[in-house]
Amino acid sequence: MYNIKKIFSDCLPAIAVRGIIFLPGADVRIEVGREFSKAAVFEAESNRDGYVVLVFQRNPDILEPEFSDFVEVGILARISVKIKLPNGNFKIKFEPLTRVKLNDLITKDPFYLIDFTSMVLQPENLDEEKVLLKMVSKQVLENANFLFRDSKAVLNNMKGGISSDKLCDLVASELRIPENERIKYLITNSINKRLQYLLEDIEKEKNLQSIETKINETVRKSADQNQKEYYLREKMRAIQEELGDSKQDDTKKLREQIENSDMPKAVREKALKELRRYEYLAPTSSESSVVRTYLETLISIPWSKETEDESDINKAIAKLEASHYGLEKVKERIIEYLSVKMLTGKNPQTILCLSGPPGVGKTSLAKSIANALNREFVKTSLGGVHDEAEIRGHRRTYVGALPGRIINGMIKAKVVNPVFLVDEIDKLVMNERNDPSSAMLEVLDPEQNEFFSDHYVEEDYDLSKVLFITTANYLNNIPAPLRDRMEVIELSSYTEIEKFHIGKNFLVNKQVEGHGLKLSKFEITDGAIKAIINNYTREAGVRQLERLLGSIVRKSIKEILIKKADKVKITKDNLTDYLGKRIFKNNQISKKDMIGVVTGLAYTQAGGDTLEVEATYYEGKNKLVLTGNLGDVMKESAMAAVSFVRSNAKRLGIDPDILDSNDLHIHVPEGAIPKDGPSAGVTIATALVSVLAKRKVNRFVGMTGEITLNGRVLPIGGLKEKAIAASRSGLKEIVIPQENEKDVDDIPQEVRDKLKIHYATKLDDVLNIALVS
Ligand code: ADP
């Protein structure tokens, strides 16, 4: 056994240590792998009581070091635990005892054998040692948290009191310094010198530490914000995961949709910005769903996708012809319009406006135009729209905001160049506060609609490729600036014969096929179609006719299924089985001529109509009483008629006394349809003359015309509609203003064949024809 207290010298097997420096007192575990080191271990265990010298290579890369490769001082140590590792190496725990000075390398084979002498400590100045020791202890205690690899071990060891020699080795072993710097603690034999080294190294370390802290601080500051966001986001994700919410997937999906969409760059950037905002919003917050709806809107709006137009005008014409019966003039104008479009490749400067009563085919014509051009078709109705926001959308700050009807239409179209039908443009409601027509002006103006702005979408939207078509029932109700933009094509009421052809050639097949019934299983006779038109409908167009045909087809299908019938045949005679009792009497004309009852012809929003004007008088104070559904203009007509009758009483054979001592009462029955327009003057005047002069009125005569105070008859509008209505209700003669003679050509021949037309310039002309006796 070596007495380490004494100076000694000897030879011992050596273990060459690489990359690390040990000092006495340290906890040393090393893996021994090189053959000569393993042999040294065997030798030490077998013959040297476990004692070895640990020698330290200056360069760890040298595999077979020479004596000069070793640090000149080594450590005398004893093997305390040895474990064999699966790879054949040994893991060995050494007990490092003391420093030894290496004198020579005796041999390298089979193990390194080192000749050494124990290292003698240099005598010291004790006062200096005390001061140094104090200083080192203070520094160690103050800075332990960052100085050492294992600060707890250092502090625990110091607690029990420790010699300066041991303190030096302990602190030097644990300091976080590079290994080659630790060599000086191994080789120096002066304690005071070692203590000074410690002070220096500690100071250096403190400096480094403060620089590190400073750097950390700046890095932390800049990282803080990101980190905070990161942290919050992670937290949110955790919460969402916990709640089973898959917002992440959702965001990913939205991002893909935005990236794959055809948005222009500016819009895409905006969408991505909103998407980032959406990511941070709590999924349950209302804000989150607002942003989501906005993003979905941006994604679903078509930004550049378009369909290819039909370029062959003949194909377009063929499609248009095939879709509608008659309407020659209308079709011709539409074809002109489309030709211009095809030739120039641009939308014509004016917008088409199809005007006419309901059910005459305005909507279906617009659809056929889309079909003829191979374009998508969308439709929005402006009936009852009184707020600009319905057209242009609400700002997003508004609760429940959505885009307006135009953008909504585009979303439905899915392409930027649909045929866009703006229905009932005459039904826009305007007041002082709100003028939706100005927004429509922007939409329909080819100069402006390239940059249409919807309040909700916020980004400009290009409507210039859209082919807008409008419809109206009543042209007069369209605001003038809007009407100026439009090329009006008028469609008028159908005659019975036209209705019959439309029914027979278009509507029957449409309904039968539309309901999925085979054409061979259904038959309707011409007589039945005519009976439906005359006995069950009273309309300008063919909507009701189409509806009734639909209802007949449904009942027939039921019959085929229940009664296992092969085929259903509808005739005039079995019609009541399907439609019930007839609703209208063929002939509305009363059975005999009457006093004070005159049939007028009116032009209503639903086409032409007849109206019975009644007049009577009873004792009173010369008042005029008006009842029934009369518009303002008609009241004025009544007053003018009364004035004329009063001033011409004598000539017309009216007793002036009757006029003086009675109230006059004028009534317009059938209050359901509002009637307006200045064309009832002659009718009211005729009724008054009839009742006051006690002369009967020819019940087969209908009339229309305005009168002046001195009895002149002024022209009217809607002659075609009125004439059709007159023949429909069974009248045989009509009296119209002379100035309307030029319009008679508009009346379909079949109507003219049934009606005798009289022209009037003065009321007397009218009275001559209408009054019987
Ligand atoms: P509007 O828009 O004028 O109120 P619609 O276009 O809705 O009328 O027409 C009503 C129905 O009548 C549609 O099914 C339409 O196809 C049909 N129709 C109208 N006119 C004709 C016509 N001339 N030829 C064939 N079908 C027609």
Side-chain angles (χ1 to χ4, degrees):
M1 157 98 64
Y2 287 95
N3 182 350
I4 56 170
K5 296 268 162 24
K6 282 200 306 193
I7 298 171
F8 62 93
S9 72
D10 202 347
C11 291
L12 273 178
I15 308 284
V17 179
R18 297 188 285 175
I20 185 159
I21 305 292
F22 295 116
L23 298 174
D27 185 10
V28 180
R29 288 153 215 258
I30 41 183
E31 192 174 327
V32 174
R34 285 182 282 186
E35 285 309 319
F36 50 79
S37 296
K38 284 190 202 165
V41 171
F42 280 121
E43 167 65 15
E45 281 184 325
S46 323
N47 304 320
R48 313 287 172 130
D49 235 355
Y51 285 97
V52 290
V53 177
L54 299 177
V55 292
F56 301 98
Q57 277 180 230
R58 285 186 191 275
N59 180 351
D61 297 336
I62 297 171
L63 283 180
E64 266 190 46
E66 299 298 325
F67 184 67
S68 57
D69 292 326
F70 297 131
V71 178
E72 58 272 30
V73 177
I75 301 276
L76 175 72
R78 194 169 179 203
I79 296 167
S80 68
V81 179
K82 184 185 87 179
I83 299 166
K84 186 155 190 205
L85 299 176
N87 62 3
N89 292 352
F90 294 112
K91 184 93 185 171
I92 300 179
K93 183 176 178 203
F94 291 99
E95 208 181 313
L97 301 168
T98 185
R99 288 174 175 79
V100 291
K101 188 143 180 44
L102 312 187
N103 298 328
D104 200 1
L105 173 63
I106 312 234
T107 174
K108 281 171 39 180
D109 200 27
F111 49 82
Y112 279 60
L113 186 65
I114 285 284
D115 175 28
F116 65 91
T117 334
S118 66
M119 204 162 92
V120 184
L121 280 178
Q122 194 181 299
E124 300 285 358
N125 175 338
L126 286 181
D127 287 342
E128 191 186 327
E129 188 185 322
K130 247 195 222 162
V131 174
L132 282 168
L133 183 68
K134 214 169 134 191
M135 284 168 74
V136 169
S137 308
K138 185 169 175 260
Q139 289 296 337
V140 166
L141 291 177
E142 279 175 6
N143 303 303
N145 59 341
F146 65 83
L147 281 179
F148 304 114
R149 296 188 281 216
D150 183 357
S151 56
K152 247 190 208 156
V154 176
L155 295 177
N156 282 344
N157 276 317
M158 281 173 70
K159 259 188 216 154
I162 190 168
S163 70
S164 19
D165 184 13
K166 283 217 171 108
L167 179 84
C168 269
D169 286 346
L170 175 68
V171 172
S173 296
E174 289 293 328
L175 267 183
R176 292 174 199 265
I177 51 172
E179 290 305 307
N180 56 5
E181 300 234 342
R182 222 182 299 278
I183 293 176
K184 61 182 183 282
Y185 293 101
L186 180 68
I187 60 179
T188 309
N189 65 353
S190 154
I191 300 281
N192 284 4
K193 192 93 200 155
R194 286 189 213 156
L195 287 168
Q196 271 170 22
Y197 283 149
L198 281 181
L199 284 176
E200 281 167 25
D201 277 347
I202 289 174
E203 202 53 45
K204 242 194 256 172
E205 197 54 26
K206 270 164 69 182
N207 263 341
L208 285 178
Q209 184 64 28
S210 76
I211 293 171
E212 195 177 317
T213 320
K214 240 189 245 161
I215 294 173
N216 275 346
E217 182 65 15
T218 42
V219 171
R220 191 179 58 77
K221 262 191 200 151
S222 77
D224 241 18
Q225 194 51 33
N226 287 342
Q227 230 176 11
K228 194 169 146 200
E229 277 179 12
Y230 176 77
Y231 169 76
L232 289 174
R233 212 182 316 166
E234 285 299 299
K235 196 163 167 179
M236 178 112 90
R237 186 163 33 203
I239 294 172
Q240 281 163 2
E241 262 164 27
E242 201 60 23
L243 290 172
D245 204 308
S246 58
K247 187 152 184 185
Q248 243 187 325
D249 289 352
D250 191 34
T251 319
K252 200 171 138 212
K253 219 165 80 198
L254 284 171
R255 172 162 291 119
E256 276 169 15
Q257 285 175 326
I258 292 170
E259 271 154 16
N260 295 336
S261 84
D262 55 354
M263 294 177 195
K265 196 160 161 255
V267 180
R268 187 187 312 272
E269 273 164 16
K270 168 135 192 196
L272 289 172
K273 197 170 133 211
E274 289 289 326
L275 183 69
R276 284 193 287 278
R277 201 156 81 85
Y278 174 64
E279 260 179 295
Y280 297 132
L281 290 169
T284 46
S285 71
S286 58
E287 178 81 357
S288 166
S289 67
V290 168
V291 178
R292 197 172 195 297
T293 316
Y294 180 63
L295 285 171
E296 276 178 350
T297 308
L298 290 189
I299 292 167
S300 52
I301 294 175
W303 296 94
S304 61
K305 201 171 147 216
E306 54 183 295
T307 51
E308 205 171 311
D309 278 358
E310 172 65 66
S311 53
D312 184 346
I313 187 78
N314 288 321
K315 278 193 191 155
I317 293 173
K319 281 186 187 171
L320 204 59
E321 288 291 351
S323 65
H324 285 80
Y325 170 84
L327 300 175
E328 304 310 337
K329 276 194 199 161
V330 173
K331 284 183 197 162
E332 206 178 297
R333 284 186 66 187
I334 290 177
I335 287 164
E336 281 165 21
Y337 188 85
L338 293 185
S339 312
V340 174
K341 209 208 131 341
M342 281 186 190
L343 191 75
T344 59
K346 276 198 235 150
N347 284 343
Q349 286 289 303
T350 47
I351 306 288
L352 272 189
C353 174
L354 302 170
S355 152
V360 293
K362 300 183 296 295
T363 313
S364 53
L365 267 175
K367 259 189 219 163
S368 310
I369 292 176
N371 186 26
L373 281 174
N374 271 344
R375 286 199 181 200
E376 296 294 326
F377 176 78
V378 282
K379 169 181 159 179
T380 191
S381 171
L382 296 187
V385 167
H386 57 82
D387 189 352
E388 193 200 14
E390 289 197 45
I391 292 165
R392 237 190 238 291
H394 283 108
R395 292 189 193 284
R396 272 200 290 149
T397 44
Y398 201 87
V399 180
L402 280 176
R405 288 174 188 230
I406 300 299
I407 292 294
N408 263 327
M410 297 310 294
I411 291 176
K412 268 189 258 160
K414 297 197 178 80
V415 287
V416 296
N417 63 339
V419 167
F420 197 134
L421 181 71
V422 179
D423 213 0
E424 304 196 308
I425 195 154
D426 56 333
K427 304 252 167 51
L428 277 176
V429 183
M430 266 160 295
N431 55 35
E432 316 79 56
R433 274 192 304 127
N434 244 312
D435 181 7
S437 72
S438 66
M440 272 328 288
L441 267 180
E442 192 186 321
V443 171
L444 300 179
D445 185 350
E447 305 276 309
Q448 289 185 51
N449 67 11
E450 201 178 327
F451 305 104
F452 173 68
S453 73
D454 181 283
H455 293 324
Y456 180 80
V457 174
E458 288 172 1
E459 299 293 325
D460 283 346
Y461 188 80
D462 183 358
L463 289 172
S464 62
K465 295 210 165 94
V466 179
L467 182 70
F468 283 104
I469 297 178
T470 61
T471 77
N473 286 150
Y474 218 50
L475 279 182
N476 288 348
N477 291 354
I478 306 177
L482 264 180
R483 205 172 45 223
D484 288 349
R485 290 277 141 73
M486 301 193 283
E487 177 177 347
V488 178
I489 299 184
E490 282 191 72
L491 289 89
S492 44
S493 309
Y494 291 124
T495 61
E496 257 98 88
I497 294 179
E498 283 170 330
K499 285 183 191 174
F500 167 71
H501 285 298
I502 294 171
K504 183 177 160 86
N505 300 322
F506 291 85
L507 303 182
V508 171
N509 287 2
K510 196 164 142 193
Q511 287 304 319
V512 172
E513 285 174 344
H515 282 89
L517 185 65
K518 278 206 189 108
L519 284 174
S520 58
K521 295 199 161 225
F522 183 86
E523 190 187 336
I524 181 162
T525 61
D526 294 356
I529 297 177
K530 284 182 188 155
I532 300 174
I533 295 168
N534 287 319
N535 303 343
Y536 295 87
T537 69
R538 236 343 141 253
E539 58 176 349
V542 289
R543 238 186 233 170
Q544 184 64 8
L545 173 63
E546 185 173 23
R547 219 171 281 145
L548 293 175
L549 286 169
S551 148
I552 293 175
V553 169
R554 279 191 297 278
K555 286 188 176 139
S556 308
I557 291 175
K558 193 170 116 197
E559 204 176 312
I560 290 171
L561 287 180
I562 294 176
K563 295 190 187 159
K564 307 255 180 308
D566 247 6
K567 178 176 178 175
V568 175
K569 183 171 178 183
I570 314 288
T571 61
K572 212 163 72 179
D573 301 325
N574 67 7
L575 200 55
T576 41
D577 299 344
Y578 297 88
L579 294 181
K581 275 202 198 131
R582 56 157 51 182
I583 301 172
F584 300 100
K585 290 262 160 34
N586 214 359
N587 198 338
Q588 290 177 308
I589 311 292
S590 43
K591 292 253 162 39
K592 49 185 194 248
D593 293 341
M594 290 199 287
I595 286 180
V597 180
V598 182
T599 306
L601 305 174
Y603 181 43
T604 73
Q605 297 197 1
D609 202 357
T610 56
L611 73 162
E612 305 253 284
V613 173
E614 294 176 40
T616 184
Y617 63 92
Y618 35 74
E619 218 171 289
K621 297 210 173 86
N622 209 350
K623 266 195 318 188
L624 173 64
V625 182
L626 297 167
T627 55
N629 203 347
L630 289 93
D632 283 344
V633 182
M634 232 159 119
K635 284 180 189 155
E636 283 164 21
S637 294
M639 284 190 258
V642 171
S643 298
F644 171 82
V645 172
R646 279 184 193 282
S647 54
N648 292 284
K650 209 167 173 190
R651 192 171 59 78
L652 296 167
I654 297 168
D655 180 355
D657 290 346
I658 303 181
L659 280 171
D660 290 342
S661 54
N662 289 290
D663 286 347
L664 296 175
H665 185 169
I666 295 166
H667 178 66
V668 182
E670 282 210 16
I673 316 160
K675 302 168 188 79
D676 210 335
S679 57
V682 288
T683 322
I684 296 169
T686 306
L688 280 173
V689 174
S690 157
V691 74
L692 293 169
K694 300 195 176 60
R695 293 173 70 186
K696 285 190 179 163
V697 182
N698 180 344
R699 60 188 195 282
F700 293 108
V701 173
M703 58 185 67
T704 177
E706 186 46 61
I707 50 161
T708 63
L709 288 178
N710 52 29
R712 268 194 305 126
V713 175
L714 302 182
I716 47 93
L719 179 65
K720 179 183 172 192
E721 310 286 333
K722 289 175 175 174
I724 292 171
S727 90
R728 191 168 60 211
S729 56
L731 295 174
K732 294 197 171 134
E733 299 174 50
I734 55 173
V735 189
I736 63 169
Q738 179 73 51
E739 285 185 48
N740 282 108
E741 192 181 353
K742 62 180 187 330
D743 303 324
V744 168
D745 284 348
D746 289 346
I747 303 174
Q749 190 56 45
E750 59 188 273
V751 172
R752 267 192 279 166
D753 291 347
K754 283 192 197 161
L755 287 176
K756 185 160 182 212
I757 300 173
H758 303 276
Y759 303 106
T761 46
K762 323 189 285 300
L763 188 69
D764 290 341
D765 302 337
V766 181
L767 296 176
N768 285 341
I769 296 157
L771 298 183
V772 186
S773 53

